[in-house]
Amino acid sequence: MRPLLPTLRLRHHPSTALPLLLRSFAHSKPQKPPPQPPLPTPPSPPKPPQKSATFTLHDVSWEDPYSWMSSLNDKVAMRHMDVYMEQEEKYIEAVMADSQRLVSKLQSEMASRFASDLSTPPLRWGPWLYYRRIEEGKQYSVLCRRLASLNEEFISHKSPSAGFDFTSGKRIEQKLLDYNQEAGRFGGYAYEELSEVSPDHHFLAYTMYDKDNDYFKLSVRDLNFGSLCSKPQADRVSNLAWAKGGQALLYVVTDQNKRPYRIYCSMLGSNEEDVLLLDEPTENVYVNIRHTKDFLFVAVNTFSTKSSKVFLINAADPLSGLTSIWECEGLAHCIVEHHQGCLYLFTDAAKEGQPVDCHYLLRSPVHTSAPRKWESVLIDDQDLVIEDVDLCDTHLVFILREGRKFKLCSVALPLPNGKGPVYLKELNPQFLPLPKYVSQISPGPNYDYYSSTMRFTVSSPVMVEKEHIYDFLAGLDIEYDPIRVQMPDAVVDYELSNVKWNIVQQQNLLLDRARVLYGRTSSASSAENSAISQSLTNEASFEDDHLWNDLDEFYACEHYDVSSCDGVLVPLTIIYSRTRKKMAHNPGLLHVHGAYGELHDKRWRSELKSLLDRGWVIAYADVRGGGGGGKKWHHDGRRTGKHNAINDYISCAKFLTEKDIVQENKLAGWGYSAGGLLVASAINICPDLFRAAVLKVPFLDPSNTLLYPILPLTPADYEEFGYPGDIDDFRAIQNYCPYHNIQKDVFYPAVMVSSSFNTRFGVWEAAKWVSRVRERSIYDPQRPILLNLTVDIVEENRYLQCKESALETAFLIKMMNS
């Protein structure tokens, strides 16, 4: 590091240097120091107008001076809101003005890690290879396909050679949909919600977000001619399912409150009007459809907080009506599949009126006398939790969790009849190779029902233990937690018939390119790729380090069990740079989600590299309310138990500083959506625990949003956060609500709240919370409260992703260095 002032270097002979200096000082008059320029005045945050409004429920009244921000139908209020939004935009620009070089540098770093010239790994379905690729200089991808028979080896992804085989002189690539052109149709950007190719590979049905009307619009494209079909074309579409082998399309539309409530059937090539199959009039009942993998049936789910039902539609005759096959009390997860005359139901519904802690698998013949009987496939095993299932014509695949260890196994189909439920080991499961440590396994699209090759994405912040390190530590009688290796996501194909496997794609974040094993990448030589491909298709131990782009040499990952305030152990995962880790001197960022029973996403993300390489510790708190611990873990962190999730997060934050993993005054929080609620609530309770925080599209005002929803909420939202009409839930909401529990006259950490006009938790929630924190807390220009607003949907635009991530990262770095 350079000193603040350079060392004075004397150019005279050493014997004469000091006298010369003394003579020069002796004959000089003392000079007054030059006047210092005044420090720039820090920008002042906006002060939106206040308008008192009182709300009362269960004999409890509260004031909300900023409720006008959510009055979407009040033109005067919205004009005030427009002015306020402009002020916020200018304020964040002024605060971050001195960090623009850093923002640009970070954006450049993050953009360089996008494999812009590579395609997604091609997916074989029938005779075709389907894939998406991004052309140079374009923001959005192109959906393409090519016949596998013409191109067994997936060659260059770059235009123009991507679609032309110079050896045979044939064009081998077919562009199905260019999303850059779709952006021109839909407000300048392309946000696709659904995309389904028909089973005969003739049509593509997809929905694009219409920004001007705030709904998703259905289009169907003829893949043989590339033209749009005249019908069906529908607005407010939320679900799709093909029938009649691709001759009919079923779709679900939403009402004005965005509740899915009607199912239509459209016969392609027909001039007849689309037929209404189901109209659900009850306001709190939602409708969903999904075709079985063999395309023989369409499953219809109707669900509310009171009940869940499943119906079947014969895909060969979609107008023949709906047949009821399942019903249970309460909101339950129900997925139906079909295999050779047998229905399989994957659900977490209560058994005999008693709630269960995990999912289980049932089966029943398609044709059976009423009432239908379902039998369990497996005997309950408390030590082996079924996280997910997938199937093809020959095998059933289970994603299992044993404690914190994930497993993947397949069993042959059809299953034996007449035995009733059995233990998994009785089905002779074939366990598929996995890395030693896995945080999540996600099934791929796996559209080809008749293929025994199935694709999974293996996600993990950890890879392999270095046993020799632990043997050394154990010899010194030192307590330690296993240090594991960081690993980017890997897309893996498993051939279930012979248990061969192939790493299809895994990004190399150090070289900023991806390894694609269907031939050559543009950034590697033919010889290199040939050697890689050969080594990965040979049978070998899946735990061989050389097979993976692991980051062992550069980054490490540790796992801890943190005791929460009630003694419950909360899993905490931390990642850091091996060369930059210093005891009690690293800034840290603590992530959290903790809602809906969903697994905390701990996948390696390239934007984190910019922080890790600058010495940051990245941590993930798996608090109650999230997934990974069964339904009880989720239930203990929802509704009246939401305070448990907040306390878990606070305990993990304190652990990081008390154990000198993170410097005490340099801890930041990070929460997305429902995770933003937890971070904001933790800040209310312990504002001095954090130096900064980033809240992305956060849920900050549940008291008002749950009571007076402006945007429609789902039954799952009320199950997660509580029903204001229930007195116990109402009290819990009032106690944890970030907006209603902001402390007065204390210093709050610096916070950047990123919100969008296109989000289910409206931008007014973020604006209200930001305004109230500024109003109540002690103003400190070194700890600004910022509101970062976007008008576009960031997720589908790589440029906007980089821009937003760079701004948030620069904000965190600036706050830690200020």
Side-chain angles (χ1 to χ4, degrees):
M1 181 180 292
R2 291 187 177 181
L4 186 60
L5 295 174
T7 304
L8 179 64
R9 299 187 182 276
L10 303 177
R11 297 184 179 276
H12 304 282
H13 190 276
S15 61
T16 61
L18 186 57
L20 283 171
L21 276 175
L22 292 177
R23 285 199 299 272
S24 65
F25 286 139
H27 291 284
S28 63
K29 294 181 180 180
Q31 300 290 327
K32 292 182 179 180
Q36 295 293 325
L39 293 174
T41 304
S44 299
K47 292 184 178 181
Q50 298 186 27
K51 183 179 178 181
S52 181
T54 304
F55 301 90
T56 302
L57 184 64
H58 297 302
D59 298 325
V60 177
S61 297
W62 65 93
E63 296 288 327
D64 186 359
Y66 300 108
S67 66
W68 63 267
M69 292 183 176
S70 60
S71 302
L72 304 185
N73 296 322
D74 187 333
K75 293 183 179 179
V76 175
M78 290 302 97
R79 281 199 295 269
H80 282 298
M81 194 67 170
D82 288 340
V83 172
Y84 171 59
M85 295 294 102
E86 291 179 4
Q87 293 172 346
E88 288 290 355
E89 185 177 356
K90 292 178 181 178
Y91 178 59
I92 193 171
E93 288 177 356
V95 170
M96 297 299 295
D98 60 350
S99 300
Q100 285 309 304
R101 290 184 64 183
L102 176 60
V103 173
S104 298
K105 178 175 174 56
L106 290 167
Q107 190 170 348
S108 232
E109 289 177 14
M110 295 173 185
S112 69
R113 297 180 195 128
F114 279 111
S116 59
D117 59 337
L118 297 178
S119 79
T120 60
L123 179 73
R124 185 161 185 168
W125 180 15
W128 295 98
L129 292 171
Y130 288 89
Y131 55 97
R132 295 174 190 255
R133 63 181 180 85
I134 296 178
E135 297 176 331
E136 188 173 353
K138 300 292 183 67
Q139 284 298 320
Y140 300 104
S141 63
V142 181
L143 177 63
C144 305
R145 72 179 179 187
R146 59 180 68 186
L147 283 170
S149 60
L150 295 178
N151 190 201
E152 287 293 342
E153 181 183 350
F154 195 74
I155 60 172
S156 172
H157 307 294
K158 277 197 168 183
S159 180
S161 60
F164 196 82
D165 182 359
F166 290 100
T167 302
S168 64
K170 296 180 180 179
R171 180 166 295 280
I172 59 176
E173 178 182 86
Q174 180 185 2
K175 286 187 179 181
L176 305 181
L177 187 60
D178 188 337
Y179 292 95
N180 298 283
Q181 295 177 4
E182 291 296 303
R185 295 176 58 206
F186 295 97
Y189 60 90
Y191 181 26
E192 180 187 78
E193 179 76 2
L194 305 169
S195 179
E196 294 286 348
V197 176
S198 61
D200 60 2
H201 305 276
H202 191 172
F203 298 101
L204 170 68
Y206 61 102
T207 61
M208 303 294 295
Y209 182 68
D210 189 330
K211 178 182 176 182
D212 295 333
N213 296 297
D214 189 27
Y215 56 57
F216 286 91
K217 185 178 182 65
L218 169 65
S219 300
V220 177
R221 192 171 292 272
D222 188 319
L223 298 183
N224 291 337
F225 299 100
S227 57
L228 283 172
C229 299
S230 58
K231 66 180 288 289
Q233 290 189 13
D235 300 332
R236 304 196 307 271
V237 173
S238 63
N239 255 153
L240 302 172
W242 286 102
K244 291 180 71 69
Q247 299 175 39
L249 180 68
L250 277 63
Y251 60 92
V252 179
V253 300
T254 64
D255 60 17
Q256 296 298 330
N257 293 321
K258 299 186 178 181
R259 177 181 68 92
Y261 77 121
R262 285 179 177 171
I263 303 176
Y264 287 91
C265 177
S266 178
M267 297 294 179
L268 273 71
S270 169
N271 294 324
E272 297 179 1
E273 293 292 324
D274 296 349
V275 178
L276 178 65
L277 300 184
L278 177 68
D279 186 353
E280 179 53 66
T282 309
E283 289 187 0
N284 64 343
V285 176
Y286 293 68
V287 176
N288 182 63
I289 61 173
R290 177 182 176 273
H291 65 76
T292 56
K293 293 190 70 173
D294 57 7
F295 287 98
L296 295 182
F297 297 94
V298 174
V300 178
N301 292 68
T302 64
F303 56 94
S304 68
T305 56
K306 294 182 179 180
S307 67
S308 301
K309 301 177 183 179
V310 183
F311 303 87
L312 272 192
I313 295 176
N314 183 356
D317 185 11
L319 303 183
S320 61
L322 285 71
T323 302
S324 175
I325 62 168
W326 170 264
E327 182 175 356
C328 66
E329 293 185 357
L331 181 64
H333 181 222
C334 304
I335 298 294
V336 173
E337 275 298 348
H338 172 257
H339 181 269
Q340 297 182 9
C342 194
L343 296 175
Y344 288 88
L345 176 66
F346 186 59
T347 183
D348 60 354
K351 286 184 176 181
E352 300 178 353
Q354 298 298 317
V356 297
D357 197 37
C358 55
H359 286 74
Y360 53 94
L361 189 63
L362 303 174
R363 68 175 175 176
S364 175
V366 173
H367 305 292
T368 183
S369 58
R372 177 177 295 274
K373 293 183 179 180
W374 292 88
E375 67 171 4
S376 295
V377 172
L378 299 176
I379 296 174
D380 291 341
D381 187 342
Q382 299 299 323
D383 297 325
L384 208 58
V385 176
I386 304 175
E387 292 286 346
D388 206 349
V389 294
D390 203 350
L391 59 77
C392 63
D393 187 45
T394 57
H395 290 82
L396 178 65
V397 180
F398 292 96
I399 299 176
L400 306 169
R401 180 173 52 82
E402 187 175 23
R404 289 184 187 141
K405 186 174 183 180
F406 283 84
K407 296 182 177 182
L408 189 64
C409 77
S410 66
V411 298
L413 287 176
L415 298 181
N417 286 318
K419 287 188 175 182
V422 298
Y423 286 104
L424 178 62
K425 63 183 179 181
E426 297 180 51
L427 298 177
N428 300 315
Q430 179 67 58
F431 285 89
L432 305 177
L434 284 172
K436 197 169 185 178
Y437 293 97
V438 176
S439 65
Q440 189 172 347
I441 304 172
S442 305
N446 294 327
Y447 285 113
D448 200 335
Y449 175 74
Y450 296 101
S451 171
S452 60
T453 298
M454 297 186 70
R455 177 168 296 176
F456 293 85
T457 298
V458 179
S459 305
S460 181
V462 294
M463 173 58 179
V464 293
E465 287 186 350
K466 297 300 179 185
E467 302 293 351
H468 62 277
I469 297 177
Y470 304 142
D471 293 340
F472 173 75
L473 292 175
L476 297 178
D477 196 24
I478 296 175
E479 294 184 3
Y480 62 91
D481 283 300
I483 300 175
R484 302 164 184 132
V485 182
Q486 192 72 14
M487 187 192 79
D489 283 3
V491 180
V492 187
D493 278 353
Y494 293 97
E495 173 51 58
L496 303 179
S497 61
N498 55 20
V499 201
K500 288 186 177 180
W501 52 272
N502 185 27
I503 303 175
V504 178
Q505 187 180 70
Q506 187 185 24
Q507 189 176 6
N508 187 329
L509 298 171
L510 301 178
L511 301 180
D512 293 333
R513 64 178 175 84
R515 192 163 63 188
V516 182
L517 302 179
Y518 274 78
R520 298 188 301 274
T521 67
S522 61
S523 57
S525 67
S526 301
E528 176 190 358
N529 280 278
S530 176
I532 292 174
S533 182
Q534 182 179 2
S535 70
L536 290 175
T537 53
N538 290 337
E539 293 187 59
S541 169
F542 203 72
E543 296 177 8
D544 285 352
D545 291 353
H546 74 278
L547 299 179
W548 298 88
N549 285 331
D550 67 68
L551 309 177
D552 174 31
E553 186 178 348
F554 302 92
Y555 307 105
C557 180
E558 299 176 11
H559 176 83
Y560 299 91
D561 287 322
V562 178
S563 179
S564 193
C565 59
D566 58 356
V568 172
L569 296 180
V570 181
L572 176 68
T573 303
I574 71 166
I575 307 162
Y576 57 88
S577 167
R578 292 187 181 275
T579 59
R580 301 297 300 273
K581 182 75 167 63
K582 298 178 181 179
M583 183 69 72
H585 282 84
N586 294 80
L589 183 64
L590 179 58
H591 290 246
V592 70
H593 179 63
Y596 300 107
E598 296 174 353
L599 286 172
H600 195 352
D601 186 359
K602 295 191 285 290
R603 292 177 298 172
W604 173 271
R605 300 201 309 275
S606 61
E607 62 264 29
L608 297 180
K609 188 174 185 295
S610 295
L611 286 176
L612 290 169
D613 290 348
R614 287 171 171 84
W616 284 62
V617 172
I618 309 296
Y620 299 89
D622 285 307
V623 303
R624 281 171 281 186
K631 289 183 70 174
K632 186 178 186 306
W633 189 260
H634 171 218
H635 288 174
D636 288 349
R638 68 182 181 96
R639 296 179 68 169
T640 57
K642 187 60 69 176
H643 67 280
N644 288 328
I646 298 167
N647 290 334
D648 292 350
Y649 183 68
I650 292 174
S651 298
C652 288
K654 291 180 177 179
F655 179 89
L656 289 173
T657 56
E658 290 171 357
K659 298 299 182 182
D660 293 333
I661 298 171
V662 172
Q663 188 172 325
E664 185 175 4
N665 62 341
K666 288 195 173 184
L667 176 64
W670 194 96
Y672 173 82
S673 189
L677 180 148
L678 299 185
V679 177
S681 296
I683 289 172
N684 285 340
I685 297 171
C686 302
D688 57 342
L689 185 57
F690 302 91
R691 180 64 184 85
V694 171
L695 311 179
K696 292 181 68 68
V697 291
F699 187 25
L700 298 173
D701 188 16
S703 289
N704 290 308
T705 297
L706 295 172
L707 186 58
Y708 305 106
I710 296 167
L711 295 178
L713 300 176
T714 67
D717 293 324
Y718 289 107
E719 282 291 308
E720 182 63 36
F721 302 105
Y723 298 86
D726 181 280
I727 183 64
D728 293 330
D729 279 4
F730 171 75
R731 288 171 179 166
I733 294 167
Q734 290 289 101
N735 286 335
Y736 74 71
C737 175
Y739 181 62
H740 283 270
N741 292 283
I742 296 168
Q743 291 195 44
K744 290 184 178 181
D745 302 324
V746 299
F747 287 102
Y748 263 56
V751 183
M752 177 179 285
V753 185
S754 295
S755 190
S756 170
F757 293 96
N758 300 298
T759 176
R760 56 199 301 262
F761 298 131
V763 70
W764 53 87
E765 288 210 1
K768 287 170 63 176
W769 187 85
V770 164
S771 300
R772 203 164 209 184
V773 171
R774 290 174 184 160
E775 170 202 337
R776 291 193 170 190
S777 63
I778 299 174
Y779 173 66
D780 180 358
Q782 298 299 315
R783 298 170 180 245
I785 310 295
L786 304 178
L787 182 57
N788 177 35
L789 298 172
T790 62
V791 294
D792 294 323
I793 297 176
V794 174
E795 288 77 9
E796 296 298 313
N797 190 307
R798 297 185 309 141
Y799 170 76
L800 292 178
Q801 284 182 34
C802 282
K803 184 178 179 181
E804 185 168 279
S805 295
L807 180 64
E808 293 166 356
T809 303
F811 166 77
L812 292 171
I813 294 172
K814 173 182 170 71
M815 291 305 107
M816 294 304 170
N817 294 336
S818 63

